[in-house]
Amino acid sequence: MSSLLKKKSQQYRWIEFYIKINFENFPWFFITILAVLLDAVITIKLWFFLIFVGYWVIRIIGLRQQGFVYATLIGGMCFSVLFLWHATTLKKQILMPQSARQVELIVQPDEINCQGDYFQFVGRDHQKHKFKVTGYFKSQREQQQVLAIKSSVAMTVRGNIVLVDQPGNLNQFNYRAYCDSQGITNLINKTSLLNWQPASAKNPLTGVLNVLHVWRNNARLYCEKLPKLMNTYALSLLIGFKDELFDENMEGVTTLGLLHLFSLSGLHVFYFCWLLRQIFLRVWLTKETTNWLLIFFLPAFLIIGGGSGSLFRSIMMAELGLLGQKRQTQLNVWSITLLVNLMFDPYVILSMGGQLSYLLSFLLIFVREVSSFKRAWILNLVSLPIILFHTYQWHLLTSFANFLIIPLFSNFVMPLVIVSAATFWCFPQLSHILTFGLTGFHQLVSQLSHLPGQVTFGKPSLFLTSLLLVISLCWLAFPKLKKHFMLSLMGIYLVGFVWIHFPLHGEVTFVDVGQGDSILVRMPFNRSVTVIDTGGKVGFLKPAWAQGHQKKHEPPVLNYLHSIGIAKINTLCLSHQDADHIGDSGVLLAKMQVDQVVIPKGMETSRGFQSKVKPFLGDARLIPVLADQKVSHLPLHIVHPFVTGKGENHDSLTLLGKFGSDNFIFSGDLDQAGERDIVARYPQARASIVKLGHHGSKTASAKDYLAQIHAKIGIISAGKDNHYGHPNPETLQTLKELHVRALSTIDEGMIRYRFTEQKFSNWQFVRRNYEKDSIHGITKKANP
């Protein structure tokens, strides 16, 4: 067996690590792969990976080395039990919803985040339940008292204990999975802060952890005093804290795929170790003593740095390197690190950061000797399937940007940020000077990100992502077959791109935007893409202390459009000027190419349009319309308004269209008088599917209107626990009397009607309710 593998090693470079690592040492790598696959099956219910589990079991048994096989299978069984125990324990800790519950929580100062009158933090009760708490301050005095908390506190709160909903839209960020990975079992909302006092540590370990959290909070407060841009860089690079300004300032970094530079990892651990070595050596400590002190201090940096998966990996690998020196191979160190990480956080393989961190560190073991540019190209090619699966986009300059920016980042940006933070307390002028250099780097990244090359690929399926990843690894592993694998890779990417961008079906999708409206109408083969309203948040006047920083809001419809490969909208229809219908139109116009914007005539003079739409129109053509007016590339008939108005509810743009075998009508916030005007002017109009006006309010959905158009299904787009009480009981009673089935985004999340040119149609719902579906049970078909 060994001689056969040695012969193969002359042809395939990666066969060597099977010999030197897995056959001469303990089989850590194979245990790791088996554990990862079992974790995917057990913890996050990715049953597709059972095929891979079976393959690895058969492959291991086929080696016919009893010690090797037994060790791997026993290791896999142990981790299976561990993952089952973790999932069961987490499920048992979930509490059923309760109203006005009083709870005492232990809260760390670095986990308290305040923005104006809004606050959120994470706390643990005495039964070890972990909660995410949100609420609003009652006064400025209460806000200042919370901001003054500088140590661990025992805080008594009263609020509603609720379950963590799964995302309301397809391909949306899965906040429930994130909470599971953090051990957060429930949310507490509408919270009132009753009292708090310093928390006492029950054991030495808790006391040490409390001190580390205090240090992290002090570091955060210190970094927040730095100049504006330096502040954002220092918070993310030194303590792993990303504030509200991070997403806005780092848009260019995100576009170019450089966000991994701002996740605390190997580079940051290197600087931390280097700094400590310099300190220890200056006080005449030996190299051996210095290594032991580093082993002791590195776990502390894990807490101070925020405890991310990538930081855990870097610190664990550094620890094993210090302990084992040259006795452990790099692949064994990588494998043991991932196994230990899975023991504490089985969800690490679910996050994009965890996937890229372990994949790229794995690849670096084998490509360290190649040139920097080739290494950047290899790392980007192999990580591309994961990036597309999570972000749906990729920039053609990503490889070049990594090759150009990473050396600048390592040798210029990191030292500059460290020096600025280290000297600010005694020489703040230096920090302002250094910020000019940092601004130059930041502008370079921003200018590169604005160059042409952004490709909206869409979200590949899990199967396609896995296939692309396996072929990418094979392309690297087997040099003699490189051309064949590259051709296969290019062919699969092309087929995947065409399949996503030219679907055989069309869809009418009611996006869950909370309290608002946003609807996508897409024809088969993407012949036309129409978006009706964008959603948006309604603003309320607040005193200066309560306003906080206005964080940029990315509309859910934008994320969904990118996930299905749409980068261009033919027609954006805005029904009227209310913020919950057009509030996010500025972001959509800025982020996507829009050919034309259709509005009810007269709305162009309204205050809402002037502030929320006009500044972002760019090259989009504005078309004010009245009923019966024809608009090119709009697969809908305009049936309202009849006269020029001001863009108010009763002026709402109303659209009628047939898709598949059903007629639809979309009426914005049109009132009952407007509905009756429509059926009076168009007595033959029929619409089996009705987007109910004004989110199910009693001001809309007149009984005679619904009866005359022969409505069968009423779609209600409203927010969960909204302040307006939508949908109104009167409206629901009207629907019941007319035998109209009500579908609400509150219960169903995103509502999709898919159709083909052969008039075949089906429905899909993205349920958010915890009791109805598991984390990944996101679709359900129905034939109303």
Side-chain angles (χ1 to χ4, degrees):
M1 182 70 179
S2 177
S3 60
L4 176 62
L5 289 176
K6 287 181 179 179
K7 183 177 180 180
K8 287 186 177 181
S9 67
Q10 298 174 1
Q11 299 177 357
Y12 306 129
R13 74 174 78 155
W14 278 23
I15 296 297
E16 185 179 357
F17 80 77
Y18 283 93
I19 304 169
K20 292 186 176 180
I21 295 165
N22 293 301
F23 288 87
E24 296 179 1
N25 300 309
F26 198 73
W28 293 113
F29 177 73
F30 275 80
I31 294 176
T32 303
I33 297 300
L34 192 58
V36 167
L37 296 173
L38 288 168
D39 183 23
V41 173
I42 295 170
T43 306
I44 53 180
K45 306 297 188 296
L46 295 180
W47 302 109
F48 163 78
F49 283 109
L50 274 174
I51 299 172
F52 290 95
V53 173
Y55 168 79
W56 276 94
V57 171
I58 294 172
R59 184 73 179 88
I60 292 165
I61 293 174
L63 293 173
R64 297 183 180 180
Q65 296 194 18
Q66 290 186 353
F68 180 83
V69 173
Y70 291 155
T72 304
L73 295 182
I74 291 173
M77 290 175 60
C78 290
F79 276 91
S80 297
V81 173
L82 177 66
F83 299 147
L84 284 170
W85 173 83
H86 183 277
T88 303
T89 302
L90 190 64
K91 188 174 182 179
K92 286 181 178 179
Q93 289 181 333
I94 296 172
L95 302 176
M96 288 298 101
Q98 302 175 50
S99 299
R101 170 77 179 274
Q102 184 168 309
V103 187
E104 183 175 310
L105 304 172
I106 302 299
V107 181
Q108 301 295 346
D110 60 317
E111 294 181 337
I112 299 175
N113 184 19
C114 303
Q115 282 298 315
D117 63 344
Y118 176 78
F119 64 82
Q120 62 178 353
F121 57 82
V122 174
R124 297 169 179 82
D125 67 5
H126 296 297
Q127 285 76 40
K128 305 300 182 182
H129 297 113
K130 193 174 181 181
F131 300 94
K132 182 69 173 287
V133 184
T134 61
Y136 291 88
F137 293 118
K138 297 177 181 177
S139 64
Q140 184 177 9
R141 182 172 179 271
E142 186 180 48
Q143 178 202 53
Q144 292 173 343
Q145 289 175 337
V146 171
L147 290 173
I149 294 175
K150 299 295 188 296
S151 62
S152 304
V153 295
M155 182 178 291
T156 304
V157 304
R158 180 184 289 115
N160 298 331
I161 296 179
V162 297
L163 300 169
V164 184
D165 279 336
Q166 65 185 44
N169 296 296
L170 283 176
N171 306 324
Q172 189 176 350
F173 173 70
N174 195 329
Y175 186 64
R176 186 195 293 177
Y178 168 78
C179 288
D180 286 342
S181 70
Q182 301 297 309
I184 297 172
T185 55
N186 287 85
L187 307 179
I188 301 180
N189 61 18
K190 300 181 180 179
T191 307
S192 298
L193 307 179
L194 302 182
N195 59 72
W196 57 88
Q197 57 187 0
S200 58
K202 295 182 178 180
N203 56 67
L205 178 59
T206 301
V208 171
L209 291 176
N210 288 347
V211 170
L212 293 175
H213 280 289
V214 170
W215 287 0
R216 185 169 190 257
N217 185 59
N218 291 338
R220 180 182 71 172
L221 296 174
Y222 177 80
C223 290
E224 287 175 348
K225 298 177 183 177
L226 296 171
K228 187 175 180 181
L229 186 60
M230 186 67 72
N231 165 337
T232 302
Y233 272 75
L235 284 171
S236 60
L237 294 177
L238 301 183
I239 59 173
F241 187 88
K242 296 178 174 61
D243 62 3
E244 287 69 22
L245 292 172
F246 183 83
D247 292 336
E248 296 180 23
N249 290 335
M250 301 302 168
E251 188 173 347
V253 170
T254 304
T255 300
L256 290 175
L258 299 171
L259 199 58
H260 60 90
L261 297 176
F262 292 85
S263 298
L264 267 64
S265 56
L267 177 64
H268 308 82
V269 172
F270 166 78
Y271 274 105
F272 180 76
C273 291
W274 176 84
L275 184 62
L276 289 183
R277 284 184 189 278
Q278 299 305 311
I279 295 173
F280 295 150
L281 293 175
R282 292 296 182 275
V283 295
W284 307 101
L285 294 179
T286 63
K287 183 178 180 181
E288 290 74 16
T289 303
T290 298
N291 287 341
W292 281 108
L293 287 172
L294 286 174
I295 291 171
F296 176 78
F297 280 111
L298 278 172
F301 183 53
L302 179 63
I303 303 299
I304 296 173
S308 66
S310 58
L311 183 59
F312 181 94
R313 176 195 61 77
S314 302
I315 288 177
M316 187 68 190
M317 293 184 74
E319 293 266 358
L320 291 174
L322 291 169
L323 286 169
Q325 298 295 336
K326 296 182 180 179
R327 291 193 298 272
Q328 291 289 338
T329 62
Q330 287 182 312
L331 191 60
N332 276 352
V333 169
W334 179 88
S335 301
I336 295 170
T337 298
L338 181 50
L339 288 174
V340 174
N341 203 345
L342 288 172
M343 290 173 61
F344 291 100
D345 180 15
Y347 286 88
V348 69
I349 64 167
L350 184 62
S351 68
M352 177 181 173
Q355 292 168 2
L356 290 179
S357 178
Y358 280 100
L359 175 63
L360 297 180
S361 59
F362 174 78
L363 293 173
L364 284 172
I365 296 174
F366 303 99
V367 298
R368 289 189 181 277
E369 297 180 0
V370 303
S371 64
S372 298
F373 183 77
K374 187 176 181 180
R375 188 188 310 135
W377 162 248
I378 290 172
L379 295 180
N380 277 279
L381 178 66
V382 179
S383 62
L384 181 58
I386 292 176
I387 292 173
L388 292 179
F389 185 78
H390 289 280
T391 68
Y392 328 129
Q393 295 180 305
W394 185 68
H395 204 288
L396 296 176
L397 294 177
T398 295
S399 296
F400 171 76
N402 275 275
F403 171 73
L404 176 66
I405 299 299
I406 288 179
L408 285 174
F409 192 87
S410 305
N411 301 310
F412 175 70
V413 174
M414 276 295 294
L416 188 146
V417 172
I418 292 172
V419 171
S420 178
T423 60
F424 182 76
W425 65 278
C426 62
F427 190 19
Q429 294 82 2
L430 178 61
S431 183
H432 288 279
I433 295 172
L434 296 177
T435 302
F436 285 108
L438 187 63
T439 302
F441 169 83
H442 194 76
Q443 289 177 346
L444 171 64
V445 173
S446 179
Q447 289 175 1
L448 285 174
S449 69
H450 285 94
L451 292 176
Q454 183 81 333
V455 177
T456 301
F457 187 92
K459 183 176 183 177
S461 66
L462 178 61
F463 174 80
L464 183 60
T465 303
S466 303
L467 182 63
L468 289 170
L469 182 58
V470 169
I471 294 178
S472 299
L473 290 171
C474 290
W475 168 80
L476 180 61
F478 306 114
K480 288 198 171 183
L481 300 175
K482 182 175 290 188
K483 290 184 178 179
H484 296 83
F485 284 120
M486 180 54 71
L487 289 174
S488 300
L489 206 58
M490 293 172 62
I492 294 173
Y493 272 118
L494 179 60
V495 170
F497 183 87
V498 172
W499 182 260
I500 292 172
H501 283 251
F502 301 98
L504 302 177
H505 66 271
E507 64 180 292
V508 179
T509 299
F510 301 85
V511 182
D512 179 16
V513 295
Q515 185 63 20
D517 275 13
S518 187
I519 304 160
L520 167 67
V521 178
R522 175 171 69 153
M523 301 303 290
F525 302 101
N526 271 0
R527 286 197 298 267
S528 72
V529 175
T530 304
V531 173
I532 305 171
D533 290 333
T534 63
K537 292 188 176 182
V538 179
F540 298 97
L541 292 176
K542 293 181 178 181
W545 70 268
Q547 292 178 5
H549 174 72
Q550 296 297 320
K551 185 178 180 180
K552 283 187 177 179
H553 171 69
E554 183 170 287
V557 66
L558 176 63
N559 178 76
Y560 179 63
L561 289 170
H562 284 162
S563 73
I564 58 176
I566 293 177
K568 175 185 175 181
I569 298 172
N570 298 111
T571 309
L572 173 61
C573 298
L574 302 177
S575 63
H576 62 293
Q577 66 165 331
D578 286 359
D580 59 337
H581 289 254
I582 68 169
D584 289 336
S585 57
V587 180
L588 199 65
L589 286 163
K591 296 280 189 178
M592 299 196 74
Q593 179 184 344
V594 178
D595 290 341
Q596 57 190 14
V597 178
V598 175
I599 61 173
K601 193 169 185 179
M603 177 177 157
E604 64 272 20
T605 63
S606 69
R607 181 180 299 179
F609 178 85
Q610 293 290 328
S611 61
K612 297 179 177 63
V613 182
K614 187 176 180 180
F616 307 97
L617 276 175
D619 296 329
R621 186 162 58 102
L622 181 64
I623 308 176
V625 298
L626 293 175
D628 294 325
Q629 185 170 332
K630 302 295 183 181
V631 178
S632 60
H633 298 101
L634 178 64
L636 293 153
H637 180 206
I638 301 169
V639 295
H640 195 270
F642 303 132
V643 296
T644 301
K646 298 179 180 180
E648 298 176 345
N649 286 359
H650 56 270
D651 301 320
S652 288
L653 178 68
T654 303
L655 304 165
L656 181 70
K658 184 172 183 179
F659 307 102
S661 56
D662 295 284
N663 290 329
F664 288 72
I665 192 166
F666 312 95
S667 55
D669 281 356
L670 189 65
D671 56 18
Q672 292 190 8
E675 293 171 345
R676 294 188 176 101
D677 289 341
I678 289 176
V679 293
R681 181 161 177 172
Y682 305 99
Q684 302 303 317
R686 298 291 181 267
S688 57
I689 300 170
V690 182
K691 201 293 293 182
L692 297 183
H694 209 178
H695 322 290
S697 168
K698 64 181 180 181
T699 62
S701 305
K703 189 173 183 178
D704 50 350
Y705 160 74
L706 294 175
Q708 185 166 336
I709 63 175
H710 294 181
K712 301 298 181 185
I713 297 175
I715 308 294
I716 302 169
S717 183
K720 185 178 181 181
D721 300 325
N722 63 81
H723 298 289
Y724 310 98
H726 295 155
N728 189 274
E730 292 184 23
T731 300
L732 296 178
Q733 181 61 31
T734 298
L735 298 179
K736 185 176 180 180
E737 292 174 1
L738 294 174
H739 303 289
V740 176
R741 180 181 177 184
L743 296 176
S744 170
T745 57
I746 297 174
D747 298 318
E748 311 297 345
M750 176 182 282
I751 301 170
R752 300 176 76 203
Y753 172 92
R754 303 202 304 172
F755 63 93
T756 65
E757 293 180 338
Q758 289 72 37
K759 296 187 178 181
F760 169 81
S761 62
N762 75 310
W763 291 83
Q764 289 184 330
F765 309 126
V766 184
R767 299 192 184 275
R768 299 187 303 175
N769 186 273
Y770 190 95
E771 295 89 345
K772 290 183 179 179
D773 297 293
S774 61
I775 292 176
H776 291 278
I778 59 174
T779 61
K780 178 181 177 181
K781 295 182 181 180
N783 293 311

